[in-house]
Amino acid sequence: MSTPTSRIALRPEDEARVKESGKLSKQLNRLQETLSRIRSAPPAGHARNRKELEAALTKAQTAMETSLSIPDTDTQTSRTQRKELKRLCQSLEVLDQQNRFSDVINKRLPKKGIYIGIDLGGTNAQVAAVSSRGETLASKKVAVAGIEDPEEVTSLLASEVQLLVSETGGKWKQVVGLGIGAAGTIDLEEGVVIFAPNLNWRDVPARSMLETKLKIPVTLDNDVNVGTLGEWALGAGRGYQTIVGIFWGTGIGGGLIVNGELIRGANGMAAEVGHMVVDPRGPKCGCGNIGCMESIAGRRSIARDIRSAIRAGEATIITELVGKNPKVIRSGDLREAVKQRDKVALRVLKNAAAAVGLGMANIANLVDPDAFIIGGGVVEALGEWIVEESTEAAKKDIISVDQRQLTVLPAMIGDNAGALGGAILAMRMGE
Amino acid sequence: MSTPTSRIALRPEDEARVKESGKLSKQLNRLQETLSRIRSAPPAGHARNRKELEAALTKAQTAMETSLSIPDTDTQTSRTQRKELKRLCQSLEVLDQQNRFSDVINKRLPKKGIYIGIDLGGTNAQVAAVSSRGETLASKKVAVAGIEDPEEVTSLLASEVQLLVSETGGKWKQVVGLGIGAAGTIDLEEGVVIFAPNLNWRDVPARSMLETKLKIPVTLDNDVNVGTLGEWALGAGRGYQTIVGIFWGTGIGGGLIVNGELIRGANGMAAEVGHMVVDPRGPKCGCGNIGCMESIAGRRSIARDIRSAIRAGEATIITELVGKNPKVIRSGDLREAVKQRDKVALRVLKNAAAAVGLGMANIANLVDPDAFIIGGGVVEALGEWIVEESTEAAKKDIISVDQRQLTVLPAMIGDNAGALGGAILAMRMGE
């Protein structure tokens, strides 16, 4: 890591002027407190954040100096400067918070102990044990493909969880709670998986089944909500208060956290971002909507559009990768096609990115979140390229003011987001 | 008011069964507590609410009896029944809360005294004095048209506010604070009207100007945020926790309250509902977006579409009302045209309602609010007809589950929403 090059060192005459101005003075104090906190903190946090921190420090210093060189009357310019300074101080605080887990997660430290999270998919369950300080103690993948009986699946999960805890060197009595996310329709209040197509489950009271087997409190939620919670608490969303998670894979799901609270909605239907309509003349979706984000940009829809290009006789390297009549086009195939600048793949993916971008613009126009976190199979395969394409599209459809920020971040913890989020869910139980 | 016809009177054997079942028993207790609270409450609240209350009581009793006649195993049917019962208990509580102002507004009683609210438009300012119990003590309209100098406008407002307080029989020292909403771009933090086209104001520090003149704390916000706050606390939104306000007039603005908090967004740009894109192939809007809600459904856009029908030679009674080349088509003209079943007006308005409906569906898919509150000039003129048209359109584009509720309510306090909302803003100052 490079040595910090910026220092807040003001000339004595400037210091006097700053002291005279109430608002600037307070901001200066905040900045200095934040600085000393960050400098005394252990070297935790992401390298990316450290870099941002260096950059923010330099910017803050410039802003402060510019601000001092302008007489403090109430002109648009000085207001803009003060706001720029304030914004920079806030980003410093965000970066600072990313090192302080308890504040972010719960406004207080969770009860000491071990928390278990499970992300239950149709093929695998990801299981994690997390400390009350947010450290991942252990995690593993458990194959569940082919086991349909809910009794068998929950028994397997229960024994794997117990094994995992012993692997951490911890004792079972240290375990405070378990949070589990499942892909499907969930009855949050009753803790029941109403329908999970990938598991072929209907009306499975998963919460009480696990509570009976493990004798610890269990909470059950939708996998995308749980994944968003994981990215917010331990991934790309650390330190933000209002975020929108978008998980872009075969389908497109989402999660919404407003002022630190996971929003479930009056009908438990909040954050169905993939089914927001972006083109009323678009294709029909399985959900019944016309032209929703998923009907254009979900991997299944991307595959449909590529297949129809193939049928129309267009040349694409996708046929070399998966044959002339591909049933399934995996994210890896898309990555390869983009790498080789395949025209058909690029066109279809740009169209998909435009749909996701328009959806993000609509979300921004309504919620104006601190950040979007985009993850899921398509993003994992295509990386920053697809995030940038979507962001550019979003900027075209957003209602803007000067210096409006649109923060779009790729998800950071990938496969583990659901399991870690499950542990966070357990920490917040009963709030 | 009619005598309540429903009573929760269970047969002894049912009572025993209810007591056996933990969940039902708790719900019964909640219901009975709510009932006795409502019965002992003063006869405040709206007649509409009282009627709803009677209906909800009857339904709750039926649901409870049905629920008792089904063995309490964990079947889909019994779960549905329990949820129906719970939902009904919740609506009882909502109705109950609508009589208890302090809980709704602040989770605690605001400081005793008088709160002033101002809704500052280009033609008139609506001014209101509100007690800490939410009662409107006095309100009046003050003409500001033609006075452009901010110094003059704020002086006029200051003296009118003082007059208003003396009209209530109260003393100035009882006034705790003032909240003001202005139509335009607002710098919330600095309390400055950056640009208000209707007032022809640029960079006016309205907050500090009023504070200097009145010597009380002042808070300034966007008029639509303030109007939403008014409808939430004292109008159609009473008792709900998460609502979306849509003000449908010349333009379309909105407000978003999530879990009782007004959401302003990372850039102060939240709740720009009118500029969410509903048709990427639609007309261009003044905001720069293509096919946003306002570009299709704002009154200006409605007038544009009617004018182009007139130019195309279509027969419409609008020409009789406002001439063959109407510059302005007022909401009253639209009402008259709808009353007379004018084909052109109906077609254009249905198209507008479809755009608003699609916008509401997208909002519902993201936030899933307890209720939408729709107000503004177009809704005031066209009434329930346009609310129903929009609601039906929204239902087509919403992702649904069984028994999903979409609550769309016409705004209730009309012109006074902004002024009352301003007073609420003052009550919540410093939170």
Side-chain angles (χ1 to χ4, degrees):
Chain A
M1 206 165 72
S2 66
T3 316
T5 49
S6 53
R7 288 281 178 275
I8 304 296
L10 302 172
R11 288 163 302 174
E13 62 270 31
D14 284 345
E15 198 138 12
R17 276 183 62 199
V18 166
K19 290 235 164 86
E20 274 165 39
S21 153
K23 280 180 189 171
L24 267 184
S25 162
K26 270 187 212 159
Q27 281 163 358
L28 181 64
N29 287 343
R30 273 174 67 188
L31 187 57
Q32 283 170 337
E33 276 169 31
T34 310
L35 263 172
S36 69
R37 242 201 331 264
I38 292 172
R39 286 193 178 129
S40 65
H46 313 290
R48 182 176 70 89
N49 292 345
R50 285 278 151 182
K51 271 192 215 160
E52 282 178 17
L53 185 65
E54 302 294 326
L57 279 173
T58 314
K59 269 200 197 167
Q61 187 163 27
T62 313
M64 187 167 291
E65 282 165 3
T66 318
S67 184
L68 289 170
S69 69
I70 296 170
D72 187 29
T73 54
D74 208 9
T75 63
Q76 172 70 41
T77 320
S78 74
R79 260 207 336 278
T80 306
Q81 285 302 336
R82 280 209 303 279
K83 286 180 81 171
E84 168 71 3
L85 181 56
K86 193 161 184 187
R87 208 177 58 69
L88 287 165
C89 292
Q90 280 167 348
S91 21
L92 280 180
E93 283 181 3
V94 163
L95 291 165
D96 176 36
Q97 273 203 336
Q98 290 171 339
N99 289 322
R100 289 181 297 139
F101 177 69
S102 62
D103 282 7
V104 179
I105 205 50
N106 215 353
K107 289 157 202 140
R108 58 184 160 81
L109 264 172
K111 195 181 158 193
K112 272 200 177 175
I114 298 170
Y115 293 83
I116 308 294
I118 303 178
D119 183 10
L120 179 58
T123 313
N124 294 297
Q126 188 74 19
V127 186
V130 176
S131 81
S132 45
R133 294 168 53 91
E135 301 137 337
T136 305
L137 304 172
S139 70
K140 71 157 78 164
K141 194 174 271 186
V142 178
V144 296
I147 324 176
E148 276 189 15
D149 179 18
E151 198 52 51
E152 253 182 85
V153 173
T154 48
S155 291
L156 174 64
L157 292 176
S159 61
E160 290 290 349
V161 160
Q162 284 164 316
L163 264 174
L164 194 73
V165 170
S166 66
E167 278 168 29
T168 68
K171 295 208 178 342
W172 184 253
K173 66 178 180 185
Q174 291 173 271
V175 178
V176 186
L178 184 151
I180 175 168
T185 315
I186 308 293
D187 184 328
L188 296 173
E189 292 167 16
E190 304 281 331
V192 171
V193 177
I194 294 177
F195 180 43
N198 294 336
L199 290 157
N200 204 11
W201 279 10
R202 275 179 199 276
D203 279 322
V204 174
R207 183 177 69 199
S208 63
M209 289 170 83
L210 283 166
E211 282 183 344
T212 307
K213 290 181 212 300
L214 289 170
K215 317 280 180 218
I216 52 170
V218 172
T219 177
L220 169 73
D221 205 331
N222 173 281
D223 62 337
V224 206
N225 277 348
V226 176
T228 301
L229 203 56
E231 282 291 344
W232 171 69
L234 294 166
R238 287 176 71 170
Y240 294 109
Q241 284 301 298
T242 295
I243 65 157
V244 179
I246 299 181
F247 292 89
W248 184 0
T250 310
I252 300 181
L256 173 63
I257 291 177
V258 175
N259 290 337
E261 297 298 327
L262 196 52
I263 303 299
R264 271 115 175 172
N267 304 276
M269 301 285 286
E272 286 286 357
V273 298
H275 299 290
M276 293 174 77
V277 174
V278 291
D279 183 358
R281 298 182 190 83
K284 184 158 182 154
C285 180
C287 77
N289 276 357
I290 304 294
C292 60
M293 204 195 277
E294 182 171 308
S295 76
I296 299 166
R299 191 171 47 211
R300 212 179 277 125
S301 309
I302 290 171
R304 172 202 63 210
D305 290 351
I306 290 177
R307 276 196 301 269
S308 82
I310 294 172
R311 271 199 303 275
E314 289 190 67
T316 162
I317 66 144
I318 300 271
T319 53
E320 293 167 30
L321 295 168
V322 289
K324 290 206 169 169
N325 188 17
K327 275 193 182 161
V328 176
I329 300 172
R330 306 295 310 171
S331 297
D333 306 323
L334 296 175
R335 174 175 48 214
E336 188 55 33
V338 168
K339 203 171 145 197
Q340 299 196 26
R341 315 296 300 157
D342 180 70
K343 276 188 186 164
V344 168
L346 286 177
R347 189 188 67 223
V348 170
L349 285 169
K350 282 184 180 199
N351 187 46
V356 171
L358 179 48
M360 286 202 291
N362 277 345
I363 295 169
N365 288 339
L366 180 62
V367 176
D368 190 10
D370 299 320
F372 287 90
I373 317 286
I374 324 194
V378 170
V379 175
E380 277 159 30
L382 301 172
E384 291 202 359
W385 176 77
I386 198 80
V387 175
E388 275 163 29
E389 283 284 335
S390 314
T391 307
E392 286 315 304
K395 282 183 181 164
K396 275 190 296 189
D397 294 307
I398 208 166
I399 174 169
S400 63
V401 284
D402 293 346
Q403 305 185 307
R404 174 166 185 174
Q405 303 283 313
L406 178 74
T407 307
V408 183
L409 305 168
M412 278 180 66
I413 45 177
D415 279 353
N416 243 344
L420 300 186
I424 304 299
L425 198 65
M427 286 181 203
R428 305 186 74 171
M429 215 182 293
E431 254 178 44
Chain B
M1 206 166 69
S2 65
T3 316
T5 49
S6 52
R7 290 278 178 277
I8 304 297
L10 301 173
R11 289 163 301 175
E13 63 270 32
D14 284 343
E15 199 139 11
R17 276 181 63 197
V18 166
K19 289 234 166 89
E20 275 166 37
S21 153
K23 280 179 189 172
L24 267 183
S25 162
K26 270 187 211 160
Q27 281 162 358
L28 181 63
N29 286 343
R30 274 175 66 189
L31 187 58
Q32 282 168 338
E33 276 169 32
T34 310
L35 262 170
S36 67
R37 244 200 332 263
I38 292 172
R39 288 194 176 129
S40 65
H46 313 289
R48 183 176 70 89
N49 292 344
R50 286 276 151 181
K51 271 192 213 159
E52 281 178 16
L53 185 65
E54 302 294 327
L57 280 173
T58 314
K59 269 199 196 168
Q61 186 165 29
T62 313
M64 189 167 292
E65 280 165 2
T66 317
S67 185
L68 288 170
S69 68
I70 295 169
D72 187 30
T73 54
D74 207 10
T75 63
Q76 173 68 41
T77 320
S78 74
R79 263 209 330 281
T80 307
Q81 285 301 336
R82 280 208 303 279
K83 286 180 83 168
E84 169 71 3
L85 181 56
K86 194 163 182 183
R87 209 178 56 71
L88 287 165
C89 293
Q90 280 166 348
S91 19
L92 279 180
E93 282 182 4
V94 163
L95 291 164
D96 176 36
Q97 273 203 337
Q98 290 171 338
N99 289 322
R100 289 181 298 139
F101 178 68
S102 61
D103 281 7
V104 179
I105 204 52
N106 216 351
K107 288 159 203 138
R108 59 185 159 82
L109 264 172
K111 195 183 157 190
K112 272 201 177 175
I114 298 170
Y115 293 84
I116 309 294
I118 302 178
D119 183 11
L120 179 57
T123 315
N124 295 297
Q126 188 74 20
V127 186
V130 175
S131 81
S132 46
R133 293 168 55 90
E135 302 137 337
T136 305
L137 303 172
S139 71
K140 71 158 77 164
K141 194 174 271 188
V142 177
V144 295
I147 326 175
E148 275 188 16
D149 180 15
E151 197 53 49
E152 253 182 83
V153 173
T154 47
S155 289
L156 175 63
L157 291 177
S159 60
E160 290 289 350
V161 160
Q162 285 163 315
L163 264 174
L164 194 73
V165 170
S166 66
E167 278 170 28
T168 70
K171 296 208 176 343
W172 184 253
K173 65 177 181 187
Q174 290 173 272
V175 178
V176 186
L178 184 151
I180 176 167
T185 314
I186 308 293
D187 184 329
L188 296 172
E189 290 166 18
E190 303 282 331
V192 170
V193 178
I194 295 176
F195 181 44
N198 294 337
L199 291 157
N200 203 11
W201 279 10
R202 273 178 202 278
D203 279 322
V204 174
R207 182 177 70 199
S208 62
M209 289 169 84
L210 283 166
E211 282 182 345
T212 308
K213 290 181 212 302
L214 289 170
K215 316 282 182 215
I216 52 170
V218 172
T219 177
L220 170 73
D221 206 330
N222 174 280
D223 63 336
V224 205
N225 277 347
V226 176
T228 301
L229 203 54
E231 282 291 345
W232 172 69
L234 294 166
R238 286 175 71 171
Y240 294 109
Q241 284 301 298
T242 295
I243 64 156
V244 178
I246 298 180
F247 293 88
W248 184 0
T250 309
I252 301 182
L256 173 63
I257 291 177
V258 175
N259 291 336
E261 297 298 327
L262 196 53
I263 303 300
R264 272 118 174 170
N267 304 275
M269 300 286 285
E272 286 286 357
V273 298
H275 299 291
M276 293 174 77
V277 174
V278 292
D279 184 359
R281 297 181 189 85
K284 185 159 181 153
C285 180
C287 77
N289 275 357
I290 304 293
C292 60
M293 204 195 279
E294 183 171 308
S295 76
I296 298 166
R299 191 172 47 213
R300 212 178 278 126
S301 309
I302 291 171
R304 172 200 65 209
D305 289 350
I306 290 177
R307 278 196 301 271
S308 83
I310 294 172
R311 271 199 304 276
E314 289 191 68
T316 162
I317 65 146
I318 301 270
T319 52
E320 293 167 30
L321 296 168
V322 289
K324 289 208 168 167
N325 189 16
K327 273 192 183 163
V328 176
I329 301 172
R330 307 294 312 170
S331 297
D333 306 322
L334 297 175
R335 175 177 44 215
E336 187 54 36
V338 167
K339 203 171 144 195
Q340 300 197 26
R341 314 296 301 158
D342 180 70
K343 274 188 185 165
V344 168
L346 286 177
R347 190 188 65 223
V348 170
L349 286 169
K350 282 185 181 201
N351 187 45
V356 171
L358 179 48
M360 287 202 291
N362 277 345
I363 295 168
N365 288 339
L366 180 63
V367 176
D368 190 10
D370 298 321
F372 287 90
I373 316 286
I374 324 196
V378 170
V379 175
E380 277 159 30
L382 301 173
E384 290 203 359
W385 176 78
I386 198 80
V387 175
E388 274 163 30
E389 284 284 334
S390 314
T391 308
E392 286 313 305
K395 282 183 181 163
K396 275 191 293 190
D397 294 308
I398 208 165
I399 174 169
S400 64
V401 283
D402 294 347
Q403 307 184 306
R404 173 165 186 173
Q405 303 282 313
L406 178 74
T407 306
V408 183
L409 305 169
M412 278 179 66
I413 46 178
D415 278 354
N416 242 345
L420 300 187
I424 304 298
L425 198 64
M427 288 181 202
R428 306 186 72 171
M429 215 182 294
E431 252 176 45

